[in-house]
Amino acid sequence: MRYSLFTCFGIFCGFYLYKKEFSIFGKSWEKYLSLAMGIFLIIFSHLSGVRSGLLAFYVIVGLAVLYFIIKEKRIALGLSIAGGTIMLIVCMVLFSPRVQQKIKTTFEDLETFDDKHEANFNSLHNRVVSYEVGMKVWEKGKWFGVGSGNLEREVYIIFSKYYDHIFLPKRIMPHSQYIYYGAAYGIIGLCLFLFSFYYPLFTSHNYKNSLFGIHYIIISISFLVEATLETQLGSLFCFVFIFFPLYFLGNNEIKVSSSTQKELSN
């Protein structure tokens, strides 16, 4: 799943570099290479068929369409992106066996929710059970949580009490960063995390930098379906692409004129 998020971010990095006409060797063709890599990653992400990466991609595209139509009044561009996206979806549904299989599997997964034992064989159902378990643990320590050191033990207690039909290897930790931190640290801890995590996005209007904002959107979506920060790879992806841009934006804030700052933030 995490690689699908990397791919999604890579797509928009390619388009961003194309828009900025980025080049290493000063050649005009280099920006088209960035565009080609972005398009390749779009195709690759659909062929891989990982739902979280595709969800992040289409959420960002939808927000981009709304931005161009409502904010910038570039209706033709917004509608063109929307039309191209619809054509992409239709082509992938009609011609990609991987996407067809993923859609079929998703609907089959949803149909099994009435049978509690299917959570042992169904990844989507099992994920939903992990949310339910996480919420029950959260209820034990509504304001301050049960503590990160006790979380795993409390999760297994809830599984044993309410979900004893789930096989031991399938008794997973909450697959949502928000629920994970809510259960571990309670409402107060979760609020502190949200404030500290999203503060860099809004301070100094950093959200105006499109690539920085896109990274935050991808990470926020991943938090809904994965405890991203509980893995080394997820933490690296999250914080490397927050701290480096912050350093860049901070230096430009001091060294360049206000007009250049505005241009850099677009």
Side-chain angles (χ1 to χ4, degrees):
M1 190 205 84
R2 296 175 192 90
Y3 289 107
S4 71
L5 301 177
F6 303 164
T7 302
C8 181
F9 187 56
I11 291 169
F12 295 101
C13 284
F15 286 106
Y16 183 84
L17 294 176
Y18 169 76
K19 178 185 175 183
K20 296 297 183 181
E21 300 185 354
F22 175 81
S23 66
I24 297 176
F25 305 105
K27 304 296 183 181
S28 59
W29 54 264
E30 289 183 74
K31 69 174 185 178
Y32 297 106
L33 180 61
S34 299
L35 178 63
M37 288 190 292
I39 295 173
F40 168 77
L41 288 176
I42 290 176
I43 298 172
F44 176 79
S45 65
H46 284 77
L47 293 178
S48 64
V50 181
R51 288 172 293 206
S52 54
L54 293 176
L55 174 62
F57 172 75
Y58 284 112
V59 166
I60 294 170
V61 170
L63 292 174
V65 169
L66 294 176
Y67 174 80
F68 286 123
I69 293 177
I70 298 174
K71 178 70 174 180
E72 294 201 352
K73 307 299 182 183
R74 299 168 69 180
I75 298 176
L77 177 59
L79 293 178
S80 297
I81 295 174
T85 304
I86 293 172
M87 289 180 60
L88 173 64
I89 295 173
V90 171
C91 289
M92 287 298 172
V93 170
L94 292 178
F95 303 113
S96 172
R98 176 70 174 174
V99 172
Q100 293 170 358
Q101 182 61 38
K102 185 62 69 172
I103 293 173
K104 179 182 177 182
T105 302
T106 300
F107 280 105
E108 289 176 349
D109 290 353
L110 293 174
E111 291 173 358
T112 66
F113 274 40
D114 292 333
D115 185 352
K116 64 181 183 179
H117 294 281
E118 283 295 325
N120 289 304
F121 313 102
N122 182 296
S123 62
L124 189 60
H125 194 169
N126 186 244
R127 191 182 298 267
V128 172
V129 169
S130 79
Y131 299 157
E132 296 173 353
V133 170
M135 293 303 295
K136 289 182 183 296
V137 174
W138 193 348
E139 291 173 3
K140 288 187 172 184
K142 184 175 181 181
W143 292 101
F144 297 100
V146 299
S148 59
N150 299 322
L151 182 58
E152 185 172 0
R153 182 189 66 190
E154 294 294 335
V155 164
Y156 277 94
I157 289 174
I158 295 298
F159 266 113
S160 299
K161 185 175 180 180
Y162 298 100
Y163 303 93
D164 60 334
H165 58 280
I166 302 295
F167 302 152
L168 286 176
K170 297 294 184 178
R171 299 184 181 186
I172 58 177
M173 300 293 281
H175 263 233
S176 166
Q177 193 69 60
Y178 302 118
I179 296 177
Y180 189 102
Y181 277 172
Y185 307 116
I187 292 175
I188 293 177
L190 178 60
C191 289
L192 288 173
F193 162 72
L194 293 175
F195 173 79
S196 60
F197 182 77
Y198 288 101
Y199 178 78
L201 178 63
F202 294 101
T203 186
S204 302
H205 303 287
N206 287 330
Y207 59 85
K208 291 183 178 180
N209 182 283
S210 55
L211 199 58
F212 194 61
I214 285 171
H215 179 257
Y216 259 97
I217 292 172
I218 293 172
I219 291 297
S220 298
I221 291 173
S222 80
F223 283 175
L224 294 172
V225 295
E226 187 78 18
T228 308
L229 299 181
E230 306 313 306
T231 64
Q232 184 182 40
L233 195 59
S235 297
L236 282 172
F237 174 66
C238 178
F239 292 116
V240 165
F241 291 105
I242 289 178
F243 291 145
F244 279 179
L246 278 179
Y247 176 78
F248 170 78
L249 292 169
N251 281 344
N252 278 282
E253 206 171 83
I254 297 171
K255 296 179 180 179
V256 302
S257 65
S258 58
S259 59
T260 309
Q261 286 184 50
K262 185 176 181 181
E263 183 180 346
L264 286 168
S265 65
N266 291 330

